[in-house]
Amino acid sequence: MKLSFTIHYRTEWGQQLAVLLSYIQQDGSQRKARVPMLTEDGDFWTAETAAVESRRSGIASFVYHYVVEDAEGHVLRSEWNGVARSYAFDPTKSYKMADRWRDLPLNAHLYTSAYQVTALLSGSQAENGVLKLPLFRKTVLFRVSAPQLVDGQSLAIVGSHPALGSWNPVRYLPMESVGQGDWMLSLNVDWLGLPLEYKYVVIDKQKHELVAWEEGDNRTVPDELSDGEVYITYGEPLRLAEKMWRKAGVCVPVFALRSEQSCGVGDFGDLYQFIDWAAQVGLKVVQLLPVNDTTLTHRWGDSYPYNIMSAFDLHPHYIDLNQLGPLKDKRRMTAFRRQQSELNALGYSDYEAVDRVKMEYLKDYYHDYIASTPARDQDDASAGDKDDEAFHDFVQQHLHQQLKRAADHARELGVVLMGDLPIGVCRESKEVMQHPDFFNLDSQTGAPPDTFARQGQNWGFPTYNWEAEGISEWMDRRFLWMEQYFDALRIDHVLGFFRIWEIPNEQLSGYMGHFSPALPLTAGEIEYFGLPFRRDFLTRPFINDRVIERLFGIHAQYVKDSFLIKKAYGLYELKDEVATQRRVQQLFEGKGDENSLWIRDGLYRLVGNILFLEDPRQPEMYHPRIQAWQEPVFDMLSAEEKDAFMRIYNNFYYQRHSMFWGKTGYDRLSRMMSNTHMLLCAEDLGMLPDCVEPVLDSLRILTLEIQQMPKQTGEEFSHLDGNPVRSVATITTHDMAPLRLWWQENPERTQRYYTTMLQKQGRAPEQLPAHLAEEIIARHIYSPSMLCILSLQDWLAMDGELRAKNPREERINVPSDPYNRWQWRMHLTIEQLQQAEHYNKKLKTMIARSKR
């Protein structure tokens, strides 16, 4: 039988359309085909193919989508395929598909599992399948996308013919749900005259009454059909505005949770209980920091949750020991209870102590488990106790079960768990060991200087090699793994998918990095802007007596004698042992006195006192050093040369790469998100190229909006009413001072915020009072942003009794401090939070009134 396809799509010269078709056999196997399309006007495209069945197994169904190709057959663009065009197959029929190109819908969030969880949609509405409908001698198959319907509503058709109710909504024809918001109906038109006019209507399932007509012109079925033909009309989605989906949420790291039963650190049992509180007060999103295993040294450095050792392992600290059960050794169990009580009494999470206590318990419990297994004798148990791999798998299995239990509990309560996708992985991680070709091991990931860190940041992760074969499939596996637990996902440092800040391994400071991928400059291009290209002067550290005196003061002569080589014209060169920041660090290892640190930091500055960095993979191609205009070498340029350098600098960082990075980011992100149903939210802070916002908008990825960090140039604070609808509004992040601490840090800035944003008169109070915190929170939850997710510290700031006494203890991370200890824990227990009736009632009322 024949399959015929028609679609309107305006192509450019040299482009063509094709249908990518898959036949699903009755035995479950697939057979794929590419069907080229033809056009006479470059707008209306047609294609036809014969569906030939295999002798071994017939065709059960077929699925297809459209692509745009160039003259060589390379796919330039593919239509959105989040809901598959799939149909049951009848070998006695011919199918005519009258289609419309599907871009990613503006209301794409309605197709995410986050929306389905909060809407408490039934499984039949959330899942997509192939619906087998009755076919007739002449059949019209109506299909439409209507994800805006809520539970208790269904879709129907009313039309011009008596068979369609003669426009009487009481005589509607009910449609059947295909899942994922799509509805279908088959109509016998053998005895009906075509064309037909019709509209879709929303029906109350329980009352069987009309809720709403769709808007716009009538739809039509235009042509007469031949015997045996099935005409499938699947065009414009339901023309009916959806109710605004706006939710409030709370952000808290798992390690920060505290209950009466935890062991010095939050665990997945605490998370289960915390979800109960969130549901109790109307918070529909619980956002976490990464929960991956970061264990490398069992020291404080491992507390950094973004330095993951595996993309597919959970952190052992988050295991709820109560769900495992007690140890058989009562004396050991008594000792553990004492340690547990001591750790839980601390005001912070002591990473090293928790690691010792929990790992000892887990090993003892595993030993009990092995010893009690009938199939193994005591010698086997001893061997099993030493089997690190088996122990690891045992712990990971329990962690998976506990987090899955918490995630399923959240879904039952209509609460979305939001995970966090770290931008990198640890250099010693399993991923690097198993797939070294996925990473550039000669470089480190970081961030250029910004408001978080004036020197820039060096995170130490190797950068991704996006050209490596298999890296896309590996990223798909990461998303699939996270979908087990999360229905929304924060993409850490989304700018890294457009371009990453890459620092050579031989350097330490963020300002010694460059963007990758990039379009570095040739010597000729540098000269084109009016700056004479003097390679040594522009690309090697500039050192003269004045610079040395400025950086080293009383140590100037010692530095000259010990670390520098005197050259002609009063200039100096770094000796080989201090030629890079990494070598300087190694030379001063273990020296912590004030003079040594002064000299070490001065040598770091000398290494970075350059105007251009040579690209490590493209010889004789150059990047302007970030913020080089702040370095002493810049003062050595003439006025004309300074102007030329700044023209180069501004063009390079703000104009040259816009389209290039935009295409790079779009290609990577669209490929990543093509197979996920999670709601994606970007952390798009920092040095933001112009291309980022339109790409995130086109992919329907939520942006992050912080009033104190406006994205508009020249503004100190943004206006919350101007937040994009497709965004997450928050007051502070884990990399910032919480609201009360932010209020104290800079009184002049706070006064301006108090006057301009809060529109108050007089002097701002030194400490943020609870009523002002409540007003700031209220302004955020009433903003247009789709999600308003505040940190737990900021939610509690509006209650003078519940909030912590010392705001400084609430800070989680200081990005400029590479040795920061991630140790914050909520100061009250989840049980106390659940019993705070006055606060919970106020919070629930605020959220309800904001229609979140």
Side-chain angles (χ1 to χ4, degrees), residues 300-301 303-304 458 508 585 589 600 604 812-823:
W300 269 107
S303 66
Y304 180 29
N458 184 344
L508 301 177
Q585 181 192 46
E589 197 79 46
R600 182 200 66 185
Y604 287 163
I812 296 176
N813 181 40
V814 180
S816 59
D817 179 8
Y819 305 104
N820 180 77
R821 294 185 173 188
W822 298 66
Q823 63 183 13

Side-chain angles (χ1 to χ4, degrees), residues 245-318:
W245 185 70
R246 299 168 67 250
K247 301 297 173 187
V250 57
C251 180
V252 61
V254 173
F255 61 75
L257 297 174
R258 182 192 295 271
S259 74
E260 294 173 359
Q261 304 300 318
S262 50
C263 183
V265 67
D267 56 47
F268 292 145
D270 295 338
L271 178 60
Y272 187 101
Q273 195 173 348
F274 188 79
I275 290 166
D276 284 333
W277 172 78
Q280 174 187 340
V281 297
L283 292 167
K284 293 297 185 181
V285 183
V286 174
Q287 180 184 339
L288 308 176
L289 298 191
V291 292
N292 302 80
D293 189 8
T294 59
T295 307
L296 178 62
T297 64
H298 299 275
R299 305 299 296 271
W300 269 107
D302 295 351
S303 66
Y304 180 29
Y306 290 90
N307 192 30
I308 64 174
M309 286 298 294
S310 171
F312 306 101
D313 283 346
L314 297 167
H315 203 301
H317 283 200
Y318 300 151

Side-chain angles (χ1 to χ4, degrees), residues 456-488:
Q457 300 176 57
N458 184 344
W459 302 324
F461 319 132
T463 58
Y464 291 120
N465 174 17
W466 289 101
E467 307 303 318
E469 184 176 351
I471 192 169
S472 294
E473 290 74 17
W474 173 74
M475 194 65 76
D476 285 344
R477 292 197 302 275
R478 291 186 70 179
F479 272 70
L480 189 63
W481 180 80
M482 299 192 84
E483 275 189 337
Q484 300 175 95
Y485 316 115
F486 306 116
D487 295 299

